[in-house]
Amino acid sequence: MSQEALAFEAGLHRTFIAHVERQARNISLDNIERLAMALNVPVEELLRQSGPAYS
């Protein structure tokens, strides 16, 4: 999914999505919920730590 499509589905701005991806902005719980709904995943999935840095 493109940043633009995700932003549209979540009701957010594309540049906000880009900043969150780059960890340049903090994100509120409300916006995490919007993203989870747009991605059709539970909020917990977005908050789960994963990857080599967390192994």
Side-chain angles (χ1 to χ4, degrees):
M1 178 180 278
S2 70
Q3 290 177 345
E4 190 170 355
L6 177 58
F8 177 79
E9 291 296 324
L12 300 168
H13 197 275
R14 183 197 56 79
T15 57
F16 177 77
I17 301 296
H19 289 151
V20 170
E21 280 189 358
R22 290 194 317 268
Q23 298 177 353
R25 290 193 64 173
N26 292 325
I27 187 169
S28 69
L29 290 175
D30 289 337
N31 287 339
I32 291 172
E33 185 175 32
R34 285 175 165 214
L35 291 173
M37 289 172 50
L39 294 167
N40 198 31
V41 298
V43 171
E44 298 82 29
E45 184 73 21
L46 299 181
L47 299 176
R48 184 175 298 135
Q49 294 180 346
S50 63
Y54 301 106
S55 298

